[in-house]
């Protein structure tokens, strides 16, 4: 059989990631504040786009009245989506969702981290949440002074020696945000080519600046500097500061013998230590503070039939309305004389129309996912974290007929505000643990809340061990192993029974 070239026609289906589809997927993952910045860039690059008022644009048909169809329609408006919109069936268009084989699979359904910034929005009756104007730019707080800026502003007034000033400024730049020097004097002297005596003098100069304790190389030195400033650095206090390891282990009796003090004097020394700041640099900002602004607002309402329900809406304070200035398009179309100019103008109109459709679909998709989350976690919104249920991306995706990756994009970097605070959408997706009665699973966040409640209520003289916590949790309906309890306890920042016993013993010394 001879081999030869030939031509064949074959049909196949494949998902083509067009630039418009890539843009739509990108918009879906952005938060409202990021969308606001994206819209600002779009306004700068497309002359046909402008910010609209609260009411929908009117008079569009009047603007195009008498114009040929070529002015009314762009090349992208021949797609099935645009045909649905033109026929008044926009609701039939599925929200932004694409084929599973073409997307990454984000299955981040583990324990969420609560971002409870309850004061970021305030009451629902505020001007911002009600759609009013946001604060003016001059009403916003400016960036706080950083620690380095505060120290550099002082150093020039305390020395006139240029060599000492140079070394001190270099050391200031090596101080971390907590106020501690991150390099040794040997390394600093080698880097600057200065003797140790000069570096010691420069360090002493830095440690004399405000706040007291800055420039220390360890916790003991930081506390000692503050004790000297308060004129409390006597031999007994010095021995106590030098033996912080014993204090951390709760060896009170041994510390009393080392310091040669009685119970009353030792309690007074501890009160003095508690008044000192172990991280003096944190009084100053490390940069501009950024508040968490929620993307979704959820409020309990009563329906017309008297049944309780939920009002779920996107935050209007961070979601500007974008419109296409079609009147300006008509004027520019009549002014264009060249073929290239008309083609460029048509592309701008097509891009503007597609961006508006993508933003509209983004809003529909976010609201659809948020509504399903509220439905699935209604117990949390009404009764609290103890009623939070296990939830996965797959559960929500199947309920709203979308792909998991689409739900993942919607829940990334977006926050929901309700009467219980502000939470990241990922917070509502938690793993589950088996219940003691076998009726189902409970959320890991509910278990953490129960562990925190038990430990907060424990008797300082009878600190609960992990084994005891297991029994108490089982009585509440949580069937957990000891290692699971220890994992959840550490996840919420609570120490072991030994560590808590030492802390409570120190707290009891007054």
């Amino acid at each position: 059989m001879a081999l030869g070239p030939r031509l064949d026609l074959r049909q196949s289906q494949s998902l083509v990631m067009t630039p418009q589809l890539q843009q739509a997927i990108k918009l879906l993952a952005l938060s409202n504040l990021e969308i606001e910045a994206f819209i600002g860039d779009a306004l700068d690059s497309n002359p046909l786009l402008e910010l609209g008022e609260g009411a929908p644009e009117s008079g569009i048909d009047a603007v195009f009245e008498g114009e040929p169809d070529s002015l009314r329609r762009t090349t992208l408006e021949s797609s099935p989506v645009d045909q649905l919109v033109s026929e008044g069936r926009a609701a039939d268009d599925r929200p932004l969702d694409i084929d599973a084989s073409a997307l990454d699979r984000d299955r981040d359904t583990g324990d969420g981290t609560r971002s409870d910034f309850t004061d970021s929005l305030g009451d629902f009756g505020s001007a911002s949440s009600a759609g009013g104007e946001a604060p003016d730019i001059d009403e916003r707080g400016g960036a706080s002074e950083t620690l380095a800026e505060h120290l550099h502003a002082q150093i020039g007034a305390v020395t006139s020696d240029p060599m000492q000033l140079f070394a001190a400024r270099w050391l200031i730049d090596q101080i971390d945000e907590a106020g501690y020097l991150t390099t040794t004097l040997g390394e600093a002297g080698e880097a600057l080519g200065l003797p140790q005596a000069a570096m010691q003098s420069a360090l002493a100069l830095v440690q004399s600046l405000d706040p007291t304790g800055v420039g220390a190389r360890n916790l003991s030195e930081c506390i000692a500097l503050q004790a000297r400033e308060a004129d409390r650095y006597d031999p007994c206090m010095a021995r106590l500061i030098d033996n912080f390891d014993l204090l951390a282990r709760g060896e009170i009796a041994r510390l009393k013998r080392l310091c040669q003090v009685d119970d009353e004097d030792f309690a007074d020394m501890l009160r003095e230590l508690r008044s000192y700041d172990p991280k003096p640099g944190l009084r100053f900002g490390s940069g501009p503070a950024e508040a968490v602004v929620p993307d979704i607002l959820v409020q309990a309402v009563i329906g017309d039939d008297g049944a309780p329900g939920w009002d779920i809406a996107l935050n209007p304070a961070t979601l500007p309305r974008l419109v296409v200035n079609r009147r300006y398009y008509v004027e520019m179309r009549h002014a264009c004389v060249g073929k290239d100019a008309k083609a460029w103008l048509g592309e701008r109109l097509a891009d503007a129309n597609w961006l508006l459709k993508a933003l509209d679909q983004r809003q529909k998709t976010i609201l659809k996912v948020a509504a399903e989350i509220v439905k699935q976690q209604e117990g949390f919104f009404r009764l609290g974290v103890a009623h939070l249920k296990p939830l996965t991306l797959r559960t929500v995706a199947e309920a709203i007929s979308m792909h998991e990756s689409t739900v993942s994009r919607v829940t990334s970097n977006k926050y929901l505000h309700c009467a219980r605070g502000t939470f990241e959408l990922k917070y509502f997706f938690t793993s589950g643990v088996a219940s003691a009665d076998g009726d189902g699973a409970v959320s890991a966040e509910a278990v953490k809340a129960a562990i925190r409640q038990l430990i907060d209520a424990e008797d300082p003289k009878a600190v609960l061990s992990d084994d005891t916590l297991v029994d108490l949790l089982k009585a509440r309906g949580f069937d957990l192993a000891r290692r699971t309890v220890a994992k959840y306890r550490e996840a919420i920042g609570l120490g072991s029974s030994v560590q808590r016993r030492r802390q409570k013993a120190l707290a009891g010394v007054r």
Side-chain angles (χ1 to χ4, degrees):
M1 180 178 180
L3 297 177
R6 67 177 184 178
L7 295 176
D8 289 331
L9 293 177
R10 295 182 180 178
Q11 291 182 343
S12 63
Q13 292 182 342
S14 63
L15 179 64
V16 179
M17 295 290 288
T18 64
Q20 290 81 10
L21 183 56
Q22 294 178 16
Q23 183 188 65
I25 295 174
K26 176 184 176 182
L27 293 177
L28 192 61
L30 298 180
S31 66
N32 279 7
L33 292 180
E34 292 171 328
I35 284 290
E36 189 174 6
F38 180 86
I39 289 177
D41 295 338
L43 289 171
D44 293 337
S45 60
N46 196 329
L48 299 180
L49 289 173
E50 63 179 17
L51 291 177
E53 302 296 334
E57 185 182 16
S58 61
I60 295 179
D61 293 336
V63 171
F64 283 88
E65 186 176 358
E67 299 293 341
D69 291 340
S70 59
L71 296 185
R72 300 171 179 262
R73 184 174 295 276
T74 65
T75 55
L76 287 179
E77 290 179 339
S78 60
S79 65
V81 175
D82 295 284
Q83 292 177 10
L84 290 174
V85 173
S86 64
E87 295 171 4
R89 297 188 294 122
D92 294 342
D93 180 29
R94 291 188 64 188
L96 295 174
D97 198 10
I98 58 179
D99 183 39
S101 61
L103 295 175
D104 59 296
R105 296 178 176 270
D106 183 356
R107 300 178 182 272
D108 183 13
T109 58
D111 295 347
T113 302
R114 174 174 177 171
S115 299
D116 194 355
F117 302 102
T118 56
D119 57 347
S120 62
L121 182 66
D123 188 58
F124 276 102
S126 62
S128 296
S129 62
E133 293 183 357
D136 295 334
I137 190 170
D138 55 356
E139 297 178 10
R140 299 180 183 272
S144 57
E145 184 183 33
T146 65
L147 176 63
E149 292 171 347
H150 180 70
L151 296 176
H152 280 299
Q154 301 176 65
I155 196 66
V158 295
T159 182
S160 58
D161 185 352
M163 186 63 67
Q164 189 182 40
L165 182 62
F166 170 74
R169 289 193 181 278
W170 190 89
L171 289 176
I172 289 175
D173 292 333
Q174 311 307 311
I175 293 177
D176 63 15
E177 62 180 9
Y180 288 87
L181 186 65
T182 58
T183 185
T184 65
L185 290 185
E187 294 173 346
E190 184 178 352
L192 299 180
L194 295 176
Q196 286 296 297
M199 298 306 302
Q200 286 283 2
S201 176
L203 178 61
L205 185 64
V206 171
Q207 292 180 346
S208 67
L209 303 177
D210 177 72
T212 304
V214 73
R217 288 158 289 184
N218 52 57
L219 177 61
S220 297
E221 186 176 17
C222 177
I223 298 300
L225 289 170
Q226 297 179 59
R228 290 191 181 96
E229 177 71 16
D231 197 21
R232 288 296 307 271
Y233 195 70
D234 51 42
C236 295
M237 181 66 78
R239 282 193 288 270
L240 177 59
I241 293 175
D242 291 339
N243 291 276
F244 271 156
D245 55 335
L246 299 180
L247 187 62
R249 293 200 296 267
E251 300 184 19
I252 307 299
R254 184 177 177 185
L255 280 172
K256 292 178 183 177
R257 291 195 300 270
L258 287 174
C259 298
Q260 299 178 355
V261 295
D262 56 17
D263 293 345
E264 183 178 356
D265 290 338
F266 187 78
D268 182 64
M269 293 167 65
L270 281 185
R271 282 195 296 269
E272 183 71 21
L273 284 181
R274 292 190 181 104
S275 67
Y276 298 152
D277 189 355
K279 296 181 179 180
L282 295 184
R283 305 177 195 173
F284 300 87
S286 57
E290 297 182 1
V292 173
V293 179
D295 303 273
I296 303 163
L297 306 178
V298 177
Q299 187 176 14
V301 295
I302 302 298
D304 296 336
D305 56 352
W310 300 98
D311 178 27
I312 305 172
L314 296 179
N315 187 358
T318 59
L319 197 63
R321 183 174 180 273
L322 201 62
V323 297
V324 178
N325 191 337
R326 297 184 182 271
R327 188 183 300 276
Y328 183 55
Y329 167 76
V330 172
E331 295 175 357
M332 291 185 65
R333 178 81 178 193
H334 287 305
C336 291
V337 294
K339 184 177 180 181
D340 293 340
K342 291 182 179 180
W344 177 85
L345 185 61
E347 291 175 358
R348 299 286 76 75
L349 181 60
D351 291 342
N353 287 336
W354 177 264
L355 178 58
L356 263 62
K357 292 187 178 77
L359 290 174
D360 180 65
Q361 292 291 349
R362 173 185 178 272
Q363 295 181 30
K364 294 177 181 177
T365 305
I366 292 176
L367 288 175
K368 195 171 185 179
V369 172
E372 185 61 28
I373 291 176
V374 172
K375 178 182 177 181
Q376 296 281 349
Q377 301 289 8
E378 187 170 7
F380 165 82
F381 289 98
R382 296 198 183 278
L383 302 174
V385 68
H387 297 267
L388 195 65
K389 299 191 303 183
L391 186 62
T392 62
L393 294 175
R394 180 185 293 274
T395 302
V396 174
E398 291 177 351
I400 60 178
S401 301
M402 289 186 182
H403 190 261
E404 286 182 60
S405 60
T406 304
V407 178
S408 176
R409 287 184 173 89
V410 170
T411 55
S412 297
N413 302 318
K414 295 181 183 64
Y415 292 84
L416 179 148
H417 183 83
C418 62
R420 300 192 177 276
T422 302
F423 305 86
E424 189 178 8
L425 289 182
K426 291 287 187 183
Y427 172 78
F428 299 101
F429 295 88
T430 64
S431 58
V433 296
S435 61
D437 54 11
D439 290 341
V442 293
S443 169
E445 289 296 328
V447 176
K448 292 177 184 178
I451 292 175
R452 179 180 293 277
Q453 184 181 13
L454 289 172
I455 291 178
D456 289 343
E458 67 184 357
D459 188 346
K461 297 181 180 179
V463 177
L464 302 176
S465 65
D466 288 345
D467 291 326
T468 305
L469 288 174
V470 169
D471 296 336
L472 294 176
L473 289 171
K474 185 171 293 186
R476 293 193 176 195
F478 304 119
D479 187 11
L480 301 173
R482 182 183 179 279
R483 63 180 181 275
T484 306
V485 172
K487 180 185 73 171
Y488 287 154
R489 174 180 50 74
E490 293 171 357
I492 56 180
L494 298 176
S496 64
S497 58
V498 176
Q499 293 171 328
R500 300 200 307 276
R501 186 176 295 109
R502 292 171 181 169
Q503 293 171 357
K504 294 178 185 296
L506 289 175
V509 179
R510 300 297 182 189

